[in-house]
Amino acid sequence: MPSLFEFAGGEDALHHLESIFYASVLADPLLKPLFGDGKPEHVDHLTAFTAESFGGPDSFSKELGFAHLIAVHRGLHIGEEQRARFVELYMTAMDKAGMPQDEAFRTAVRDHVEFGSHVAMQNSNAATEAELHPLRSVPKWTWPGEES
């Protein structure tokens, strides 16, 4: 089986997904306070992170680095309701973007977003370095049957 990156349709397909998702969070009253008016580069950053996580190019790590991801979440004080809504909107964006309906693929993507949203929530509420999630690099996400 291909990587999640390949199965999703590559960088262009992921950019389309992240564009739909980002527009939805900017329009959502629960999440808008976390994102403000948005930033034009955010979709590109989301795309690079997702692509790298799913087995694509490592441009997020090379260009931004994981410390950037920690820094942008610090002090946001993400709550559980916001975290869950983030996941819900991501999965809705998957449908709107025409991502594959394959059950194993969808499960892997949901697991990835659930994990990442928990890391972001923990980091957003960390008052000290010791309270940050220990993750310090882009996680590599796979799915059952993926070739290694």
Side-chain angles (χ1 to χ4, degrees):
M1 291 180 81
S3 68
L4 289 168
F5 176 77
E6 293 164 331
F7 196 79
E11 196 154 347
D12 289 342
L14 289 175
H15 192 273
H16 180 62
L17 165 64
E18 300 299 1
S19 294
I20 291 169
F21 170 67
Y22 195 58
S24 73
V25 298
L26 292 179
D28 187 84
L30 185 61
L31 295 179
K32 177 125 173 88
L34 300 175
F35 290 86
D37 292 329
K39 296 180 180 176
E41 68 277 6
H42 205 160
V43 171
D44 290 340
H45 294 174
L46 287 168
T47 301
F49 180 81
T50 304
E52 186 171 337
S53 292
F54 287 2
D58 63 351
S59 57
F60 185 89
S61 291
K62 286 181 176 175
E63 295 171 20
L64 292 169
F66 201 79
H68 168 80
L69 193 59
I70 293 171
V72 299
H73 289 104
R74 293 290 299 264
L76 288 178
H77 303 290
I78 299 168
E80 176 56 29
E81 186 179 9
Q82 290 168 313
R83 188 208 65 75
R85 180 75 174 143
F86 182 94
V87 174
E88 177 187 343
L89 291 179
Y90 200 91
M91 298 313 291
T92 298
M94 292 275 294
D95 292 334
K96 290 180 179 177
M99 286 281 124
Q101 293 293 321
D102 181 87
E103 186 177 336
F105 173 76
R106 291 291 178 121
T107 297
V109 171
R110 177 177 280 282
D111 289 349
H112 173 263
V113 177
E114 288 279 356
F115 175 78
S117 65
H118 279 284
V119 171
M121 185 171 72
Q122 181 175 339
N123 289 344
S124 79
N125 288 292
T128 66
E129 295 293 312
E131 293 175 356
L132 289 171
H133 191 281
L135 185 67
R136 292 295 182 275
S137 62
V138 175
K140 305 302 184 211
W141 222 256
T142 60
W143 60 319
E146 180 175 335
E147 295 175 0
S148 32

